[in-house]
Amino acid sequence: VFDDGRLTDNLARVVDFENTIIIATSNAHSEFVKTEIEAQRPIKEITEALKRKLTDYFKAELLNRFSDIIVFKPLSLSDIESIARLQLKKLGDQLLESHGITLEFSQEAVTAVAGMGYDPVFGARPLRKVISDRIRSALAEMILKGSLKRGASVKVEFNNGEFKFNMLHE
């Protein structure tokens, strides 16, 4: 892709990558970046130091093919909470569309999901698993058991270390 601007698959189909932007992400040296940000070192300096250190993980030939390397600061718990709110809204939209069920979340539930899904090194990635394991699975079980039916309205709350699914109306 980098040399020819095209990719050929195993069926000999050619895909044109001309005028394409390829973004590659990595957690390589994420602890270094986190430490440097916490030390309030300027991002430009961190980026330059990181470029030199990336050869620990990647060959120089690969790194030289990238136009730029951008360092992102780790997400804060507040950032994760905003992302959790968006992902929970998406879950609610899907449930409304597929089953006609309205879903609401208390602030405590959003905060709990964010806290469980927060990892300064991995960013927002663990959030999806928390939502799937703790919220989506419970809702699916309720639907399968018949305790949650079309037209229902549910508020998800969090207290005493547990998520509670309270029917607002059926």
Side-chain angles (χ1 to χ4, degrees):
V1 170
F2 289 122
D3 290 331
D4 300 332
R6 62 192 180 110
L7 179 70
T8 306
D9 71 8
N10 61 344
L11 299 175
R13 294 179 295 204
V14 176
V15 179
D16 182 12
F17 274 80
E18 199 174 352
N19 302 319
T20 301
I21 296 172
I22 299 173
I23 299 172
T25 63
S26 171
N27 283 335
H29 287 298
S30 59
E31 274 303 316
F32 166 76
V33 171
K34 181 178 178 280
T35 303
E36 295 297 302
I37 286 174
E38 287 170 352
Q40 297 182 353
R41 191 168 170 196
I43 292 289
K44 189 170 178 127
E45 287 179 24
I46 297 171
T47 301
E48 291 307 313
L50 181 64
K51 285 179 182 178
R52 290 188 297 277
K53 291 176 76 62
L54 283 176
T55 56
D56 297 346
Y57 287 91
F58 306 105
K59 292 186 178 191
E61 295 84 11
L62 174 65
L63 293 173
N64 287 334
R65 293 177 185 273
F66 292 108
S67 302
D68 203 358
I69 293 174
I70 300 170
V71 174
F72 293 95
K73 71 177 182 67
L75 296 170
S76 69
L77 186 53
S78 172
D79 296 329
I80 297 293
E81 192 169 310
S82 296
I83 295 167
R85 191 170 280 106
L86 289 170
Q87 289 186 356
L88 292 169
K89 182 187 178 323
K90 182 178 177 184
L91 173 61
D93 292 346
Q94 290 169 342
L95 195 60
L96 182 60
E97 185 179 320
S98 64
H99 291 85
I101 298 169
T102 304
L103 194 56
E104 289 181 36
F105 293 91
S106 70
Q107 179 57 46
E108 293 78 15
V110 174
T111 301
V113 167
M116 292 174 193
Y118 178 66
D119 186 321
V121 175
F122 294 109
R125 289 186 185 109
L127 257 182
R128 191 170 286 128
K129 181 168 175 31
V130 169
I131 291 170
S132 179
D133 291 352
R134 304 294 299 270
I135 308 291
R136 187 183 301 268
S137 292
L139 290 167
E141 191 173 317
M142 291 169 71
I143 291 169
L144 291 172
K145 285 182 176 177
S147 60
L148 187 56
K149 296 180 168 98
R150 182 170 292 282
S153 201
V154 179
K155 184 166 188 176
V156 181
E157 299 187 39
F158 187 82
N159 47 37
N160 298 327
E162 290 184 7
F163 289 100
K164 309 280 187 199
F165 299 84
N166 300 315
M167 297 292 189
L168 299 176
H169 67 77
E170 292 185 49

mmCIF file of all heavy atoms in Angstrom, residues 86-87 92 95 118 136 167:
data_model
loop_
_atom_site.group_PDB
_atom_site.id
_atom_site.type_symbol
_atom_site.label_atom_id
_atom_site.label_comp_id
_atom_site.label_asym_id
_atom_site.label_seq_id
_atom_site.Cartn_x
_atom_site.Cartn_y
_atom_site.Cartn_z
ATOM 1 N N LEU A 86 -22.234 8.809 25.632
ATOM 2 C CA LEU A 86 -22.519 8.630 24.198
ATOM 3 C C LEU A 86 -22.792 7.163 23.864
ATOM 4 O O LEU A 86 -23.724 6.848 23.115
ATOM 5 C CB LEU A 86 -21.347 9.137 23.356
ATOM 6 C CG LEU A 86 -21.138 10.643 23.314
ATOM 7 C CD1 LEU A 86 -19.805 10.985 22.646
ATOM 8 C CD2 LEU A 86 -22.286 11.318 22.580
ATOM 9 N N GLN A 87 -21.983 6.259 24.417
ATOM 10 C CA GLN A 87 -22.176 4.836 24.120
ATOM 11 C C GLN A 87 -23.482 4.313 24.727
ATOM 12 O O GLN A 87 -24.161 3.480 24.121
ATOM 13 C CB GLN A 87 -20.979 4.023 24.608
ATOM 14 C CG GLN A 87 -19.742 4.257 23.769
ATOM 15 C CD GLN A 87 -18.588 3.344 24.146
ATOM 16 O OE1 GLN A 87 -18.652 2.560 25.087
ATOM 17 N NE2 GLN A 87 -17.506 3.450 23.402
ATOM 18 N N GLY A 92 -29.270 2.821 24.015
ATOM 19 C CA GLY A 92 -30.678 3.176 24.168
ATOM 20 C C GLY A 92 -31.372 3.353 22.826
ATOM 21 O O GLY A 92 -32.505 2.891 22.642
ATOM 22 N N LEU A 95 -31.936 -0.105 21.317
ATOM 23 C CA LEU A 95 -33.008 -0.818 22.005
ATOM 24 C C LEU A 95 -34.378 -0.268 21.624
ATOM 25 O O LEU A 95 -35.327 -1.025 21.420
ATOM 26 C CB LEU A 95 -32.799 -0.737 23.522
ATOM 27 C CG LEU A 95 -33.601 -1.684 24.389
ATOM 28 C CD1 LEU A 95 -33.298 -3.138 24.045
ATOM 29 C CD2 LEU A 95 -33.307 -1.430 25.847
ATOM 30 N N TYR A 118 -12.734 2.762 33.010
ATOM 31 C CA TYR A 118 -11.617 3.703 32.943
ATOM 32 C C TYR A 118 -10.285 2.987 33.081
ATOM 33 O O TYR A 118 -10.068 2.216 34.010
ATOM 34 C CB TYR A 118 -11.741 4.746 34.048
ATOM 35 C CG TYR A 118 -10.602 5.741 34.088
ATOM 36 C CD1 TYR A 118 -10.409 6.628 33.045
ATOM 37 C CD2 TYR A 118 -9.720 5.782 35.155
ATOM 38 C CE1 TYR A 118 -9.371 7.543 33.076
ATOM 39 C CE2 TYR A 118 -8.687 6.695 35.192
ATOM 40 C CZ TYR A 118 -8.508 7.571 34.144
ATOM 41 O OH TYR A 118 -7.483 8.472 34.160
ATOM 42 N N ARG A 136 -25.862 -4.389 28.660
ATOM 43 C CA ARG A 136 -26.477 -5.046 27.503
ATOM 44 C C ARG A 136 -26.894 -6.481 27.832
ATOM 45 O O ARG A 136 -27.999 -6.905 27.501
ATOM 46 C CB ARG A 136 -25.509 -5.020 26.320
ATOM 47 C CG ARG A 136 -26.112 -5.530 25.021
ATOM 48 C CD ARG A 136 -25.085 -5.541 23.892
ATOM 49 N NE ARG A 136 -24.529 -4.244 23.612
ATOM 50 C CZ ARG A 136 -25.010 -3.394 22.712
ATOM 51 N NH1 ARG A 136 -26.071 -3.710 22.010
ATOM 52 N NH2 ARG A 136 -24.420 -2.234 22.499
ATOM 53 N N MET A 167 -38.400 -0.414 36.140
ATOM 54 C CA MET A 167 -39.443 -0.142 35.155
ATOM 55 C C MET A 167 -40.122 1.180 35.489
ATOM 56 O O MET A 167 -40.585 1.365 36.609
ATOM 57 C CB MET A 167 -40.499 -1.242 35.148
ATOM 58 C CG MET A 167 -39.986 -2.579 34.757
ATOM 59 S SD MET A 167 -39.515 -2.581 33.036
ATOM 60 C CE MET A 167 -39.228 -4.299 32.819
#
